[in-house]
Amino acid sequence: GLRSGRGEPCMTRLATIDLGTNTIRLLVVEVAENRSWRPLAQAQTITRLGEGLRDSGRLGEAAMERAVATVAEFCRRARAFGAERILIIGTSAVREAANRSAFLDRVRQATGQEVQVVPGEDEGRLTMLGVLHGLPALSGSIVVFDIGGGSTEFILARDRKSVLTRSLALGVVPLAERYMTSEPVDWGRYAGLDREVRAQLARELRDFLPEERPDHLVGTAGTVTTLAALDQALPEYDPEKVHGYRLQRHRIEELLATLGALPVAARAALPCLEPGRADVIIPGIAICLAALDAFGSGSVLVCDFGLREGILIDYLARSAP
């Protein structure tokens, strides 16, 4: 490891940015000589990069502007904290867009940074690394699901090693664009959304399901962490109260009824529900309930760790001396 002139261990500062379809997330950490790390700063902004992507196949001009501005701001923050390296990972929206090269050029021009665009399977593997780091006591068979803006990943781990990843083109942004309005939920339309989600899970997870129920079903990312905060009626988001929280299926259904009865503007005013999540939370709940039923579970363990942390862990493992 590096040492200063006085023989003291040197600390390295790194940042990761998860450039998602709905949300962009920043993590800045200080890494010790033994590769352990502690967070210095975390932030997230909903930019809805994937807005309209399903219909046009392209990232929209306004969406790209919002995302580039956010990534640039996060890079500035990371450098202000002394980050020597910034790792940016692009996921579903960047993977799929016909004009992704133009978008990546704009990020490079605004930040001086390259974006690494990862396939869905890689995204799942990195997410599982983050989850296992955050939940060190879990053993046996673990299924993690990560509900995203443009895709949902299911990852199976045994003995704390990923053995199977399935990335589904099932994201809350296109579902919200097709099924949600600014009004309270139309339950007839919701039934159609629910049928579509369940049919896709049945089709694409047919050979994924372990013969027996997994020992642990874990949910990560914005939908489940928001539901965990709402279920505890937190006045503001508290990762320590959300992480490791067990969310019961019947409570998710009650939250669906409560949130669905409100127009989007009223949902957006609730504590712990960011305005940019007010419409997509409903399709997120549909995916969450369908996942619980697919794995025969009455509850889900909520993990506040995920892709951001996995990017860091993977980098540290690869750059070890």
Side-chain angles (χ1 to χ4, degrees), residues 41 44 52 68 77 113 123-124 131 133 153 158-159 170 196-197 209 224 229 235 260 276 302 304-305:
Q44 65 174 43
V68 170
R77 283 196 214 175
Q113 298 290 324
E123 185 182 341
V131 167
H133 179 87
E153 278 68 45
R158 290 204 175 92
D159 303 318
L170 181 68
E196 180 180 326
V197 167
L209 298 173
V224 290
V302 178
D304 189 63
F305 289 63

Side-chain angles (χ1 to χ4, degrees), residues 238-319:
D238 181 344
E240 291 192 4
K241 287 197 168 75
V242 166
H243 183 65
Y245 183 74
R246 186 159 289 283
L247 193 55
Q248 301 294 332
R249 189 188 189 288
H250 70 92
R251 285 294 300 139
I252 300 171
E253 289 195 309
E254 288 165 17
L255 286 165
L256 172 62
T258 303
L259 295 170
L262 300 173
V264 167
R267 264 180 246 152
L270 295 171
C272 299
L273 210 166
E274 302 142 289
R277 202 176 294 287
D279 59 341
V280 298
I281 190 78
I282 302 295
I285 290 174
I287 297 171
C288 186
L289 289 171
L292 262 68
D293 294 348
F295 293 97
S297 181
S299 66
V300 58
L301 184 63
V302 178
C303 185
D304 189 63
F305 289 63
L307 183 56
R308 280 186 307 194
E309 292 80 8
I311 297 164
L312 174 71
I313 293 159
D314 184 61
Y315 172 78
L316 291 175
R318 287 186 290 108
S319 62

Side-chain angles (χ1 to χ4, degrees), residues 15-17 26 28 41 43 65-86 88 106-107 109-113:
T16 66
I17 296 175
L26 167 72
V28 185
E65 277 183 19
R66 293 192 298 267
V68 170
T70 298
V71 175
E73 169 59 23
F74 283 178
C75 287
R76 279 194 293 275
R77 283 196 214 175
R79 291 188 188 106
F81 273 97
E84 296 160 36
R85 186 175 285 263
I86 301 171
I88 309 174
R106 286 167 72 161
V107 174
Q109 285 165 9
T111 66
Q113 298 290 324

